[in-house]
Amino acid sequence: MSGSQVGVARELRVLREAIEEHNFSYYVLDNPVIPDAEYDRLMLQLQVLEANHPELVTSDSPTQRVGVTPVGGGSVVTHYAPMLSLGNVFSKSELLDFDQRVRDQLASRGFELDNIEYVAEPKLDGVAVNLRYENGVLILGATRGDGTTGEDITHNVRTIPTVPLRLRTENAPVALEVRGEVFMPREGFLAYNQRVLEIGEKPFVNPRNAAAGSLRQLDPRLTARRPLEVFFYGIGLLNGQIRPKTQGETLKYLHNLGLRTCPEWEVMAGVQDCLTYYAQILKKRNELPYEIDGVVYKVNALENQELLGAVSRAPRWAIAHKFPAQEELTVIKEIKFQVGRTGAITPVARLQPVFVGGVTVSNATLHNEDELARKDVRVGDSVIVRRAGDVIPEIVKVIKERRSAGSDPVRLPTKCPVCSSEVVRQEGEAVARCIGGLVCGAQRREAIRHFASRRALDIKGLGTKLVDQLVTRGLVENPSDLFGLTLEQISELERMGLKSAENLLETLNKSKSTTFNRFLYALGIREVGESTALALANHLCSLEKLMAADVKRLEEVPDIGPIVAANIRAFFQEDRNCMIVNQLMRCGVSWPQPVRLEFEDGPLKGKTIVLTGTLLGMTRDVAKQTLSALGANVTSSISKSTDMVIVGDHPGAKVDRALKLGVMVLSEDEFNALIKSDH
Ligand code: IVH
């Protein structure tokens, strides 16, 4: 660097630091110290200086929020620690139960507490994000995805003014994964929708969708125009610094790094305080500049959080206390019957559109024949519609007083509305089904949609409309036909150019490399959901074995009862299904061989094992299933009878306890070696 360049570099640094400090005062402290015009002047000065010295522009400069459009964007990223979701309570008594459970669980681990200290925070109604800072610089932004892996949205989160591109500290942690919620404040949402309406486009239904849609934009210049903001509320990974000891300290720590936290959080001395806080926030709800749908309580001491652990994907140390369901009055315009993937006929009420629970609702499911009869919903009826939180809207009741004379009760059709096959309701079943199977267009369409869905083969770009066209034109009758589609066939579909057709072919091709459990789930065998598919994959390992397994063998797989076993058997006894499966194999659908797990005589038979901390290589669910498949008994608390403790990242107090009791402690690598040694 020449002497003058050194001077310019210094000037740039001073300017950038000044701007960052003003950003912090403005966005994080909500307390600007200079007028906007002055800030704009500093920004302009920086832009001019950088334009004259492009070689000195750095990616974390305040001028570099909007970078270049990513090609292909949205690649998959794995979170260091899983992003958990939250259990819900809707009432005081459910909350008291939660608190009791927390106290009982802590007591059973030797910590008797009269009152649990919690941190209460508003439950922000936005989109969860995970940001990674390395040595203080923002290097990655991702969506929550399925909790383990999410989508890379770095280019878009960089455009959010409240997301610092560099942490405000001299002493940055080596690595920090920070979790927060991106949201669109009410005012920004209204103004944005107003503009959208003026140019004749479709507005967003609510601020949450607006935030989600904006983050999904491929072009960050578009995201930059959306009024997005963020609040941070947790840490996924912290390397190179001591982790704060409480949730309260975590929030302060984040705030000091320049990461904005919601100012409404408070420490609660016990569950009674939580109830008071809830009532206060509920009153304040409509005055807050952003939408919230409840309150989150988190056990304050991280040590206690660690002791409590998590069940499936929700922590035992936190709970969302949702605001009461919102209800509205509307009118039934029509009752239709939809045909699902398994032929199930579902009555659906078409409603006079009504704004409830934050969205416009125009359909509500009536579930099944009995529900239809129980509620006695008729065309023309006035009804109360409820939409509680994220759940699907439902009809609470009919206002019979307003019913016009001469209306008739609605009956389930005896013939399928799509293919005219017979509709049959088997004894003991709540649902009636069209018996048309894959002859029925609706069932074909749904089976293919399921096959392509995110948690199945994840064929991106194969949306509902496309599947509809493929089925209606007779191009696709079963999932394996998807892989026989030609460029010509695809590009002739509506709204399909050559380029998008090429892309679809490529995604189809990529989707052939999958995992055994995803493949099993994708087949859509009745009552085989994701976790059953995983259990089958882990225990039977190969398709041949699975196809040959009799009901008895299937029932040996944990969590598979006689009904599911019979469904699986029946599926593979059907020639047509076997043919489709074989065809899929021939098309090149493949997966890595799962670890062979033998549960009868596994090397861990009868051993009691505890998992603690975050495993980097697999989710806790998979680790648990793997262990129990090897014969182990996985428990959550350590006692003298524990044989082994497997320790992941951020293990917490359990390790100390294990060492004290002289229990064997295994690292993640040792654990991997252990499960692999069985085959
Ligand atoms: S904590 C371990 N805190 O709620 C707990 N979540 O239902 C994980 N959310 O995916 C989340 N405000 O998108 C937490 N103050 C808050 C939150 C919050 C909103 C969202 C978040 C999460 C979802 C779980």
Side-chain angles (χ1 to χ4, degrees):
M1 244 189 234
S2 70
S4 80
Q5 259 194 323
V6 171
V8 175
R10 190 180 310 123
E11 204 179 329
L12 280 169
R13 200 177 57 237
V14 170
L15 265 173
R16 285 174 189 156
E17 278 175 7
I19 291 172
E20 270 158 15
E21 203 51 35
H22 290 311
N23 279 344
F24 177 71
S25 311
Y26 186 91
Y27 291 119
V28 181
L29 303 179
D30 208 6
N31 182 23
V33 286
I34 52 166
D36 287 0
E38 175 74 10
Y39 177 88
D40 292 345
R41 198 179 55 75
L42 287 173
M43 249 332 230
L44 187 66
Q45 223 178 319
L46 178 61
Q47 276 162 350
V48 171
L49 205 56
E50 285 184 346
N52 291 331
H53 298 273
E55 72 285 359
L56 296 178
V57 178
T58 54
S59 75
D60 60 348
S61 168
T63 57
Q64 301 300 303
R65 287 200 171 266
V66 182
V68 282
T69 313
V71 262
S75 58
V76 173
V77 283
T78 304
H79 310 307
Y80 248 102
M83 288 179 80
L84 302 173
S85 61
L86 288 169
N88 290 327
V89 293
F90 289 92
S91 66
K92 176 178 171 183
S93 73
E94 285 176 80
L95 179 65
L96 295 179
D97 288 350
F98 165 77
D99 177 64
Q100 188 65 48
R101 279 200 302 279
V102 168
R103 280 184 294 145
D104 288 350
Q105 278 154 4
L106 288 178
S108 75
R109 286 158 179 74
F111 296 85
E112 290 273 8
L113 294 169
D114 285 336
N115 277 308
I116 304 287
E117 218 182 63
Y118 293 99
V119 160
E121 304 165 20
K123 185 165 191 301
L124 307 153
D125 205 3
V127 182
V129 291
N130 189 26
L131 305 189
R132 189 176 308 165
Y133 287 89
E134 282 180 7
N135 299 313
V137 179
L138 174 67
I139 60 144
L140 186 70
T143 59
R144 176 172 181 276
D146 62 6
T148 310
T149 57
E151 207 176 294
D152 184 340
I153 47 161
T154 316
H155 54 290
N156 286 339
V157 290
R158 284 177 65 90
T159 69
I160 303 173
T162 34
V163 168
L165 299 180
R166 171 183 277 284
L167 297 176
R168 189 182 161 272
T169 173
E170 295 292 344
N171 177 25
V174 179
L176 169 71
E177 258 195 4
V178 60
R179 273 83 200 263
E181 196 86 351
V182 168
F183 59 91
M184 196 179 275
R186 281 180 219 278
E187 206 178 300
F189 168 73
L190 291 174
Y192 183 78
N193 261 359
Q194 186 67 40
R195 280 207 303 279
V196 168
L197 282 173
E198 274 164 18
I199 56 169
E201 278 181 24
K202 210 172 143 209
F204 282 113
V205 281
N206 59 30
R208 203 249 290 259
N209 282 9
S214 306
L215 282 181
R216 250 185 273 115
Q217 283 293 342
L218 277 184
D219 185 347
R221 283 169 305 186
L222 296 180
T223 313
R225 283 189 225 140
R226 311 278 172 89
L228 296 179
E229 292 188 16
V230 69
F231 280 138
F232 295 98
Y233 50 62
I235 291 176
L237 166 90
L238 179 58
N239 266 351
Q241 263 174 20
I242 296 170
R243 210 176 159 113
K245 300 239 168 329
T246 62
Q247 171 64 8
E249 272 180 44
T250 303
L251 292 170
K252 285 187 197 151
Y253 172 79
L254 296 178
H255 176 90
N256 287 335
L257 289 178
L259 295 160
R260 194 166 170 248
T261 48
C262 175
E264 305 296 330
W265 72 271
E266 271 176 56
V267 176
M268 308 279 116
V271 73
Q272 289 305 328
D273 279 8
C274 293
L275 289 165
T276 316
Y277 177 90
Y278 178 82
Q280 281 167 356
I281 290 282
L282 183 57
K283 244 199 227 148
K284 232 171 135 174
R285 181 185 189 183
N286 292 327
E287 289 154 36
L288 291 173
Y290 41 83
E291 285 211 350
I292 61 173
D293 58 351
V295 170
V296 185
Y297 311 114
K298 302 175 182 172
V299 170
N300 198 19
L302 256 61
E303 200 186 9
N304 289 341
Q305 293 188 2
E306 199 59 57
L307 283 173
L308 291 160
V311 252
S312 78
R313 285 181 192 170
R316 286 208 199 82
W317 46 265
I319 198 85
H321 192 174
K322 291 294 215 47
F323 288 144
Q326 284 168 321
E327 298 185 348
E328 277 301 336
L329 201 65
T330 189
V331 173
I332 307 278
K333 293 203 302 192
E334 194 184 1
I335 293 174
K336 290 221 148 195
F337 295 92
Q338 274 176 2
V339 187
R341 175 162 61 84
T342 57
I345 308 273
T346 310
V348 177
R350 304 257 181 262
L351 311 167
Q352 188 68 48
V354 59
F355 195 72
V356 49
V359 297
T360 303
V361 173
S362 34
N363 295 308
T365 173
L366 288 159
H367 303 287
N368 54 46
E369 193 173 12
D370 293 344
E371 183 78 355
L372 183 64
R374 190 175 67 78
K375 289 192 173 153
D376 186 19
V377 180
R378 303 181 188 183
V379 177
D381 275 352
S382 291
V383 292
I384 294 176
V385 174
R386 172 162 65 195
R387 185 182 177 269
D390 294 338
V391 299
I392 50 173
E394 63 168 345
I395 293 175
V396 183
K397 66 172 199 165
V398 175
I399 316 279
K400 296 244 165 88
E401 293 76 354
R402 298 204 188 172
R403 178 172 282 168
S404 48
S407 70
D408 291 321
V410 179
R411 295 245 152 70
L412 221 65
T414 53
K415 298 264 184 268
C416 171
V418 176
C419 70
S420 304
S421 299
E422 218 176 314
V423 170
V424 173
R425 179 170 169 190
Q426 255 157 13
E427 232 186 86
E429 284 224 353
V431 288
R433 294 177 201 275
C434 154
I435 59 159
L438 291 180
V439 169
C440 175
Q443 291 184 53
R444 267 207 306 265
R445 193 187 59 203
E446 292 305 315
I448 288 157
R449 272 174 58 179
H450 173 79
F451 184 81
S453 65
R454 193 160 64 90
R455 290 171 178 272
L457 254 66
D458 193 19
I459 310 178
K460 290 196 183 68
L462 190 65
T464 314
K465 293 209 171 108
L466 217 51
V467 173
D468 274 355
Q469 286 192 65
L470 291 170
V471 172
T472 339
R473 295 181 185 216
L475 291 172
V476 171
E477 286 197 350
N478 70 57
S480 73
D481 295 336
L482 287 171
F483 300 116
L485 289 170
T486 63
L487 190 63
E488 207 183 346
Q489 285 171 327
I490 302 177
S491 54
E492 273 171 10
L493 300 173
E494 277 163 39
R495 300 204 297 174
M496 258 288 162
L498 193 61
K499 184 76 201 143
S500 14
E502 276 170 2
N503 288 344
L504 182 60
L505 269 188
E506 171 149 356
T507 343
L508 277 165
N509 216 7
K510 275 198 195 141
S511 73
K512 289 182 194 167
S513 307
T514 182
T515 59
F516 189 26
N517 50 304
R518 271 177 181 267
F519 176 77
L520 290 179
Y521 173 66
L523 291 178
I525 305 170
R526 201 179 292 173
E527 292 189 53
V528 175
E530 277 181 286
S531 71
T532 309
L534 184 62
L536 286 169
N538 278 345
H539 289 86
L540 290 153
C541 291
S542 82
L543 187 59
E544 295 71 34
K545 275 195 192 151
L546 175 64
M547 289 171 86
D550 58 14
V551 170
K552 187 172 152 284
R553 177 79 182 101
L554 290 166
E555 278 187 55
E556 283 167 4
V557 177
D559 297 331
I560 293 196
I563 297 179
V564 180
N567 282 338
I568 298 168
R569 193 66 212 120
F571 182 90
F572 289 113
Q573 260 168 350
E574 183 78 54
D575 284 348
R576 210 193 127 78
N577 291 334
C578 295
M579 209 183 69
I580 295 173
V581 167
N582 289 332
Q583 236 165 309
L584 284 167
M585 299 294 98
R586 244 178 283 127
C587 295
V589 174
S590 65
W591 51 82
Q593 173 70 22
V595 178
R596 192 180 71 82
L597 302 172
E598 264 315 329
F599 41 103
E600 296 103 2
D601 287 312
L604 300 180
K605 189 176 164 82
K607 297 262 192 270
T608 303
I609 298 188
V610 173
L611 285 162
T612 177
T614 311
L615 297 177
L616 302 180
M618 62 177 86
T619 64
R620 192 170 273 242
D621 277 351
V622 171
K624 266 191 196 162
Q625 288 213 16
T626 311
L627 286 166
S628 43
L630 291 169
N633 177 21
V634 184
T635 63
S636 54
S637 62
I638 297 179
S639 68
K640 272 191 227 130
S641 55
T642 310
D643 293 296
M644 235 179 250
V645 178
I646 294 161
V647 181
D649 204 20
H650 297 314
K654 279 188 191 164
V655 185
D656 301 341
R657 195 163 154 70
L659 292 173
K660 226 181 258 165
L661 292 172
V663 175
M664 185 201 251
V665 174
L666 257 67
S667 69
E668 181 168 352
D669 286 345
E670 288 166 324
F671 164 58
N672 283 331
L674 178 79
I675 54 178
K676 295 238 163 65
S677 64
D678 181 40
H679 62 276

